[in-house]
Amino acid sequence: MATTTPTPAATPAVPSYPEQVTGMDILVRALRMVGIDTMYGLVGIPVTEVAYIAQARGIRFIGFRHEQQAGMAAATHGFLTRTPGVLLTVSSLGFLNGLTATTNATVNCYPMIQISGSSVREPIDLEQGTYEGLDQLNIAKPLVKAAYRVNKPEDIPTAVVRAYRAAVSGRPGGVYLDVTTPCLGAIMNKADADKLFYMPVDLCPTMPPAPEAVKRAVDLIASAKRPAIIIGKGAAYAGVEDKLKTFVDKTGIPYFPMSMAKGVLPDDGPLSALSCRSTIMEQADVVILAGARLNWLLSRGHGKWSPDTKFVQLDIDPEEIDCNRPIAAPVVGDLASSLDAIIAQLPANTAMDPAWVSMLQAQSKEKNAKFAERLTSNALVMPMNHWTALGAIKPILESNPDVILVNEGANTLDDTRDSINMSRPRHRIDCATWAIMGMGMGSAVGAAVATGKSVVAIEGDSAFGFSGMDFSTICRFKLPVTVVIFNNGGIYNGIGVNMAGTSDPAPTTLNIKARYDKLGDCFGAKSYYVTSTGELATALKEAIASKAPAIIDVQLAADSGKESGHIGYLNPAALEKITV
C-alpha cells in the first residue's frame, strides 16, 4: 500500500501590533519638548511611573521626604534659572502639601509648575467617596497664577506648553497642572502620539514699554534733586545687574537693595545706601522702583515715607501700579527693555544735588562702623549669641562670594541679612515676600541642583524644624550644602514662660539641648557641634571646602534673640500686668 507524506501545516502569520505609549510617557516627552531637565517631587499613586519614565528620558528626578520642600526647591530652581521649576505630587494631601509652595511661588513671582495626579472625575463630581477624591483644580485656581486640567492624553503637550507660558511670561508665578488618573494611564499608538509634539515659539516674549512712559520717567529722574533706586528681587530674577550698573554709573544715583536683591549691585559699593533706608524714605524726592513692589516690606509707601516723594515704577504688571501710592511715572514692560530705553534717553547731567550723595555716604560710613562695633563687642560673649556667631561667619562667606546663601528664621533671618554683605546677584535666597518659614532645606536643594554651586543655609532652630528631615535629601543626592543651625532653644528665644504655671513648655520654647548635628550621623554627612567662634569658623571653612553635605549645630544662649511682631506681653517682666 502506497504511503503519502502529509503536507506540513502553514505557520500562522504573527499579528503585527503598533507600538503603544501611555499618557505618562506623553507627559514626560512634553516636558522634554519645552526643555525641562529637572523634576522635584515625592512619588506615590498615581504618579510613581511618571518619575521612573522621567529618569529614563533624561530628566533628573530629585525625590524628597515632603512635598512642600520639593515645591520650595522647584520654586528656587525657577527663580535662579528663569525657567519653570517642576514639582510632581500625588493626589489629595500630597497635592495640598505642594500647593503651599506653588502659592508662595505665585506671590513671590517665581516660575513654577506643579503637576499632580488626580482621581477619576465622576465620583469626585458626585462626591461618591473615591480614593483621595479631591477637586484639586478648583482648590488651586484662586491660589495660583493659572490652573489647567488634562483629561485626554492628546491634550497633554498643549497643556504643558500653556503651563510653561503662564509660568514665565509677564509676571512669573506658580501654575497648577491637574492630570487625571485615566489620562495618565490612557494608551495611544506611538505613531499617533508622535504627531502631537512640536517646538513652541517665543515662550517668554519681551514686552517693551511705551515711549511716552519712558519719556515721562526720564524727565522725572533728570529733575530729581534727591533720587534713589530701590532694587527688588524682580531685578535679580530678570538678570539686569549689568544694566543697573550702567544706569548707576551714568547717573550717580544711590541704591538700596531689598533682601533678595542684595548683590545685584555690591552691598558695599560706593553708592550703596543699604544703611540709609529710613533716610531715603523720609527725604528722597524721587524713588525708582526697579523690580520692587510697594508692599508691606516698604510700608506700602506710607509710614516714614515722605508724602512728597514721587515714584518711578518699573514693573511688568500694570495692575501693580498705584496699588498703594500714586505712581507719578509708571513704566510697564519687561525690566531689561525698560532699563535700556531709560538709559538711552537719560541726559548726561541731571539736577541731583551732590550733597545728597555725600550725606548718604557719610551716614552709611557712620552706621556701618556702629554695626561693625556690635559684631566686635559680641565676639567674646559666651555662650554665643546671634551676633557672636555671625561675627565668625561673616568674613568666611564674604571671602567665598560664589557660595549661595539660604537664610530663614526670625532673629536668624534679620541678623544674617544685616550682617553679611553680598557681592553677586541671585546668591541670597530667603523667605521673601510672605516671610514664610520652612523653605530652608527645599531652597538649599533647589539652589544646589539648579546652579551646581555650593550652598550655605543659615537656619534658626525653629525654622529648621519645618524642613529638617529633608536634610536627608541633601545627603542622598550628595549636594554641596552646609546647613548651619542657630540653636537658642526656641521660637525667638528659649526663655518662654508658661502663664498657667504648669510643667508644659511655653508656646515659644523648643529644646536648648537639642543636638541637630546628630542628623549628620543619621544620613552620612559631616557633622559639627560648636560652642565657640573658633570652632564655628573652623567647621564652616572645612564644610564649604568639602563640597559635600554637612551640618553645623551652633549652640547659642537660650536668651539670645528677641520677640518679633507685637507680642511684648510674653516678656516675663510684663506677666504681672496680665489678668488670666
Side-chain angles (χ1 to χ4, degrees):
M1 182 176 178
T3 60
T4 59
T5 302
T7 302
T11 302
V14 177
S16 177
Y17 298 104
E19 183 180 355
Q20 295 181 318
V21 294
T22 66
M24 298 183 193
D25 188 78
I26 295 171
L27 174 59
V28 171
R29 288 181 64 190
L31 292 170
R32 291 294 288 158
M33 178 183 75
V34 294
I36 299 300
D37 58 10
T38 306
M39 180 186 294
Y40 304 88
L42 199 160
V43 299
I45 297 172
V47 298
T48 303
E49 191 175 341
V50 174
Y52 275 106
I53 295 171
Q55 276 191 332
R57 289 196 173 274
I59 295 178
R60 189 180 188 191
F61 184 81
I62 309 295
F64 278 73
R65 304 294 288 268
H66 195 281
E67 293 91 350
Q68 179 177 306
Q69 291 311 303
M72 295 298 180
T76 300
H77 187 113
F79 173 73
L80 292 174
T81 67
R82 296 167 64 188
T83 60
V86 174
L87 167 67
L88 180 69
T89 68
V90 301
S91 52
S92 190
L93 293 182
F95 149 77
L96 288 173
N97 289 340
L99 187 61
T100 300
T102 311
T103 304
N104 188 56
T106 302
V107 171
N108 280 292
C109 311
Y110 306 147
M112 174 183 167
I113 300 172
Q114 178 180 349
I115 302 172
S116 292
S118 64
S119 296
V120 179
R121 291 301 317 153
E122 290 81 1
I124 291 177
D125 293 340
L126 278 174
E127 299 182 2
Q128 293 177 312
T130 189
Y131 174 74
E132 294 193 342
L134 191 67
D135 193 351
Q136 296 170 194
L137 180 73
N138 284 317
I139 289 172
K141 271 186 175 181
L143 300 175
V144 299
K145 184 180 179 186
Y148 309 102
R149 176 178 290 136
V150 194
N151 294 297
K152 301 184 300 181
E154 295 90 340
D155 293 333
I156 290 175
T158 298
V160 167
V161 170
R162 292 196 69 190
Y164 191 111
R165 287 191 186 278
V168 301
S169 61
R171 172 170 285 181
V175 178
Y176 175 61
L177 195 58
D178 187 275
V179 190
T180 64
T181 297
C183 180
L184 289 169
I187 295 173
M188 283 188 69
N189 290 339
K190 183 177 181 301
D192 294 329
D194 289 343
K195 299 174 184 177
L196 301 174
F197 300 99
Y198 62 99
M199 187 57 63
V201 177
D202 203 6
L203 285 166
C204 187
T206 58
M207 297 176 61
E212 59 270 22
V214 174
K215 184 180 185 306
R216 185 188 304 118
V218 167
D219 289 345
L220 185 56
I221 294 167
S223 67
K225 295 186 180 303
R226 298 182 305 281
I229 306 166
I230 294 183
I231 305 172
K233 70 176 180 295
Y237 172 80
V240 295
E241 51 271 14
D242 290 343
K243 299 179 190 300
L244 280 170
K245 183 179 185 302
T246 299
F247 180 86
V248 169
D249 289 346
K250 185 172 182 177
T251 62
I253 296 176
Y255 58 86
F256 175 90
M258 301 301 290
S259 181
M260 279 182 59
K262 284 167 64 69
V264 170
L265 296 179
D267 286 354
D268 58 358
L271 289 172
S272 172
L274 186 58
S275 304
C276 303
R277 174 190 176 104
S278 295
T279 303
I280 289 172
M281 295 170 78
E282 294 167 354
Q283 298 186 31
D285 60 349
V286 173
V287 169
I288 301 125
L289 299 168
R293 294 179 282 186
L294 274 178
N295 55 20
W296 69 275
L297 291 166
L298 289 171
S299 303
R300 297 191 301 277
H302 301 290
K304 291 185 177 180
W305 283 100
S306 166
D308 298 324
T309 301
K310 295 180 179 180
F311 291 94
V312 177
Q313 184 166 7
L314 281 57
D315 202 290
I316 201 166
D317 185 359
E319 293 185 10
E320 187 63 32
I321 307 302
D322 297 331
C323 72
N324 278 304
R325 278 276 295 263
I327 302 300
V331 182
V332 177
D334 70 90
L335 198 51
S337 297
S338 296
L339 283 170
D340 280 342
I342 290 172
I343 291 168
Q345 294 189 33
L346 276 172
N349 298 301
T350 67
M352 184 171 64
D353 183 353
W356 168 243
V357 174
S358 59
M359 184 268 287
L360 290 177
Q361 289 174 329
Q363 191 177 105
S364 293
K365 183 177 180 179
E366 179 183 354
K367 290 189 175 183
N368 291 343
K370 288 182 179 179
F371 192 85
E373 172 60 26
R374 175 183 291 176
L375 294 176
T376 302
S377 63
N378 281 279
L380 299 179
V381 170
M382 290 293 290
M384 291 187 290
N385 60 32
H386 289 78
W387 302 114
T388 314
L390 286 167
I393 291 172
K394 176 181 171 69
I396 297 172
L397 288 188
E398 290 182 358
S399 65
N400 289 274
D402 210 36
V403 170
I404 294 175
L405 172 61
V406 172
N407 186 205
E408 66 171 333
N411 295 277
T412 304
L413 170 73
D414 295 338
D415 298 345
T416 301
R417 179 190 61 236
D418 293 342
S419 298
I420 298 174
N421 286 330
M422 308 300 295
S423 57
R424 298 189 181 178
R426 295 171 296 282
H427 278 64
R428 178 181 168 82
I429 310 295
D430 61 32
C431 47
T433 301
W434 259 4
I436 185 171
M437 295 297 110
M439 43 67 68
M441 296 303 95
S443 290
V445 171
V449 170
T451 67
K453 294 184 177 184
S454 294
V455 176
V456 171
I458 300 180
E459 303 272 310
D461 55 335
S462 172
F464 179 72
F466 286 90
S467 65
M469 187 53 69
D470 267 305
F471 178 67
S472 67
T473 302
I474 292 169
C475 298
R476 198 164 66 255
F477 286 88
K478 299 179 173 59
L479 299 174
V481 176
T482 299
V483 178
V484 180
I485 303 163
F486 282 8
N487 181 17
N488 65 351
I491 302 170
Y492 312 125
N493 59 46
I495 308 299
V497 176
N498 180 332
M499 295 181 185
T502 66
S503 61
D504 286 347
T508 55
T509 300
L510 297 175
N511 186 351
I512 192 65
K513 296 181 179 179
R515 289 292 301 271
Y516 297 104
D517 58 302
K518 297 299 182 182
L519 284 173
D521 299 336
C522 292
F523 300 120
K526 184 68 175 176
S527 60
Y528 305 85
Y529 174 72
V530 301
T531 60
S532 69
T533 54
E535 293 173 343
L536 173 54
T538 298
L540 184 57
K541 290 175 184 177
E542 287 181 0
I544 292 173
S546 74
K547 295 187 179 297
I551 189 168
I552 303 174
D553 185 340
V554 182
Q555 186 64 64
L556 301 185
D559 62 354
S560 177
K562 61 184 179 180
E563 298 155 0
S564 297
H566 304 284
I567 53 172
Y569 61 82
L570 292 183
N571 287 313
L575 287 179
E576 62 184 10
K577 300 178 182 178
I578 297 176
T579 301
V580 179

